[in-house]
Amino acid sequence: MALRHDSNRQLWPVILAAGLESHFDEKGVAVEDCPACDSPRSLRLNLRSGRAGCLQCGIEGPLETYIRERMEGLVTSRACDDSEDQTEADIILLPTPPRRAAAAPAGSARLRRAADLPRPAPKPAVLIAPVNRPGHMVEKIIMTLLALLFLSAGLAAAALSGYANYLAFGAMVSDPLQSRVWGWAGVIASVCSFGGFTFFWWHMTHRRRQEGARTLIFALAGAATSIAGTSLFMDQQAAGHSSASEGAAIERQMIESQLVELRRQLDGIPAETRSIAGLQSYLEGVERAGRSHQKPYRDAQNELGLAQRRARLEADMAAARGQLIALGRATAPGGPAQLSLPSWAFALMLEVFSSQATSIACVSLLLLYGLSAGGARPRRAPD
């Protein structure tokens, strides 16, 4: 094997004695089951650095100590989270490495066996807290802000989905009490959808696969119900808008017909008909002169009736034009063709925003402040 150089010459005899020479690859790295947390293939043995460390529970120590304990049968497996009294910051102490044995004499045909190697009594290693790498606090603050942003966006999407479900399911029944009951059932489905995925991650992290599967089914059922409610709400709104547009078009036709009739009646009034104010002034003068019994007075009264009728027709036409302006947006052509997104696609995206954004945010906050509560895992002091 091409790994026996100066950096690992002292460890190679021990590795040969333990029968682990075939476990290391060309880079001098081997992976074994962790004796501290029972995680399969999570303990990394680095022949070049002479260290052994678990990628799951964080235990770390000299490689020579691990190999000697394995040879002596002192390595035992115990799960890190099986004990109720043990916290995640606990770590299994590794004994300090014994002094290295003297090099084999030159010309020796065989390496000394493990039983012949000196076995000094182990003593507890001193643990020191690791020094946070530069920028760790800044990274934690940035991730916290992003998690809170994701949480806000997810809750906002969940609120929109719950509102849509409430209106959609409530509109399916005519009874007011049942309408409220079914509406709140849609809100509950929305809550179950965006909260279930966080519980699924939590159960799977603690290897409770059966509970995780049940939670996943629960979350998917809530998500499907929420998607159906949101899609139904959008279809109801589209149908209502289409019905309103059709009603507005019919009303517009009726108003236009009314305008045509008003215009025809207005055209029947002679154009030389004087204004109402002028005719009233003329009639008052005739009455003061005492000639109200003459024909010009009676003609002026008839003309005043026509002027008043013309004023009413013009007022009716102005009101009809105002109604046409109010209905213009509902019946006016929409210009260039607009692409419409299917309701189920929008409901699916809203559900993904709701469930996954809140789940990602909650998981990030748990990792930053929950699962890593108490600070980073302590490491063993270098020998």
Side-chain angles (χ1 to χ4, degrees):
M1 193 173 182
L3 291 173
R4 299 179 57 183
H5 48 75
D6 295 339
S7 63
N8 51 54
R9 183 175 300 172
Q10 298 292 339
L11 294 176
W12 194 249
V14 184
I15 295 175
L16 290 176
L20 299 176
E21 64 275 7
S22 62
H23 292 208
F24 290 86
D25 58 13
E26 296 181 355
K27 297 181 180 180
V29 177
V31 289
E32 301 288 337
D33 296 343
C34 180
C37 64
D38 288 343
S39 298
R41 299 181 63 81
S42 63
L43 185 66
R44 183 183 178 91
L45 311 180
N46 195 322
L47 187 59
R48 298 183 183 275
S49 63
R51 305 290 293 178
C54 179
L55 302 177
Q56 294 292 331
C57 63
I59 188 173
E60 185 179 4
L63 176 60
E64 184 177 1
T65 301
Y66 167 77
I67 297 175
R68 290 184 181 277
E69 288 186 349
R70 180 164 176 166
M71 293 168 56
E72 297 170 3
L74 298 178
V75 173
T76 58
S77 299
R78 88 174 158 160
C80 293
D81 51 343
D82 287 344
S83 174
E84 296 180 355
D85 297 332
Q86 183 179 10
T87 62
E88 293 189 356
D90 294 338
I91 190 169
I92 300 177
L93 299 181
L94 289 175
T96 55
R99 297 179 180 177
R100 295 188 177 92
S108 175
R110 296 176 60 88
L111 293 172
R112 289 185 296 172
R113 299 181 60 82
D116 300 332
L117 295 175
R119 300 178 182 177
K123 58 182 179 179
V126 179
L127 298 180
I128 58 174
V131 179
N132 291 333
R133 64 182 184 274
H136 175 72
M137 185 56 64
V138 176
E139 176 185 352
K140 188 174 183 180
I141 293 175
I142 293 176
M143 295 305 297
T144 300
L145 293 177
L146 289 177
L148 294 177
L149 182 62
F150 267 58
L151 183 61
S152 302
L155 292 178
L160 291 176
S161 180
Y163 175 75
N165 294 343
Y166 181 85
L167 295 180
F169 294 151
M172 296 175 63
V173 292
S174 58
D175 183 72
L177 179 60
Q178 295 183 9
S179 176
R180 288 192 295 270
V181 170
W182 283 107
W184 281 108
V187 176
I188 293 173
S190 178
V191 173
C192 294
S193 68
F194 79 82
F197 290 98
T198 302
F199 281 100
F200 167 73
W201 173 87
W202 182 65
H203 283 306
M204 296 303 293
T205 301
H206 292 81
R207 300 183 182 180
R208 294 189 289 266
R209 291 182 175 84
Q210 292 183 351
E211 293 297 327
R214 290 177 56 191
T215 308
L216 180 60
I217 295 174
F218 185 73
L220 290 177
T225 305
S226 183
I227 291 173
T230 305
S231 178
L232 180 61
F233 170 77
M234 295 185 64
D235 291 339
Q236 291 175 352
Q237 294 298 312
H241 180 72
S242 177
S243 177
S245 298
E246 293 177 359
I250 295 175
E251 186 177 358
R252 181 184 181 89
Q253 292 178 359
M254 295 176 60
I255 294 176
E256 289 177 348
S257 300
Q258 183 181 3
L259 276 174
V260 172
E261 179 63 22
L262 292 175
R263 171 60 62 184
R264 186 186 64 81
Q265 295 180 14
L266 186 61
D267 292 341
I269 299 175
E272 62 273 9
T273 302
R274 290 172 287 181
S275 65
I276 295 176
L279 289 171
Q280 288 178 345
S281 178
Y282 171 77
L283 292 174
E284 291 175 357
V286 173
E287 291 174 355
R288 286 195 300 269
R291 290 186 269 179
S292 57
H293 59 282
Q294 296 180 355
K295 185 177 181 301
Y297 181 80
R298 294 192 297 271
D299 293 339
Q301 285 182 328
N302 294 333
E303 187 177 359
L304 178 62
L306 292 176
Q308 292 175 344
R309 186 166 179 266
R310 180 180 61 186
R312 288 194 299 269
L313 291 174
E314 290 176 349
D316 292 342
M317 292 180 65
R321 292 192 184 96
Q323 293 179 0
L324 285 178
I325 294 175
L327 294 174
R329 293 184 180 181
T331 57
Q338 298 179 353
L339 298 177
S340 59
L341 186 68
S343 59
W344 61 265
F346 182 83
L348 179 62
M349 289 193 302
L350 185 63
E351 177 58 30
V352 170
F353 295 154
S354 170
S355 61
Q356 300 307 312
T358 51
S359 178
I360 291 173
C362 291
V363 168
S364 300
L365 293 176
L366 285 174
L367 291 176
L368 288 172
Y369 300 101
L371 299 181
S372 59
R377 300 181 184 276
R379 294 179 179 267
R380 187 179 183 277
D383 298 322

